[in-house]
Amino acid sequence: MLYAPPQRRTPWVQAGDSPEISQARLANVQALAAALAPPQCQPVIMLRICQPYGASAQEVDLVRRAYLSSMPNPRISYTPQNGSSSGSGGGSSMSGQGSGQGGR
């Protein structure tokens, strides 16, 4: 508000569900702007009357929780064979072969 060029100093306040809520929001922001900015830099505060983008955090949380609670249990079962691990031992697959670089 203080350091932006004058043509970019317009703060916007989202309109509420009723005119009373909108006016209360606008009055609060105007009071805060008057306390922060010097008298010669008082911005004009505008009311933004449109649908906000996205969804509320509560709605996003409800959707995420519903998704997580509806996930089925895993169906892959693991049974070890003969009590040993399934990894194979062994050495290099290139044993007995040269490095391919030769002596230069």
Side-chain angles (χ1 to χ4, degrees), residues 54-94:
S56 69
Q58 182 181 16
E59 181 180 354
V60 172
D61 183 55
L62 288 173
V63 169
R64 177 73 175 154
R65 287 176 189 263
Y67 171 75
L68 291 175
S69 67
S70 68
M71 291 177 67
N73 291 329
R75 295 182 185 157
I76 299 173
S77 61
Y78 172 75
T79 54
Q81 297 177 359
N82 299 333
S84 65
S85 66
S86 63
S88 63
S92 168
S93 63
M94 296 184 67

Side-chain angles (χ1 to χ4, degrees), residues 19-74:
E20 294 80 21
I21 292 173
S22 298
Q23 288 304 316
R25 287 180 181 177
L26 198 56
N28 284 334
V29 173
Q30 287 171 337
L32 183 61
L36 290 176
Q40 67 272 17
C41 295
Q42 290 294 312
V44 176
I45 310 217
M46 303 295 292
L47 194 61
R48 181 177 180 263
I49 305 173
C50 64
Q51 188 68 17
Y53 296 118
S56 69
Q58 182 181 16
E59 181 180 354
V60 172
D61 183 55
L62 288 173
V63 169
R64 177 73 175 154
R65 287 176 189 263
Y67 171 75
L68 291 175
S69 67
S70 68
M71 291 177 67
N73 291 329

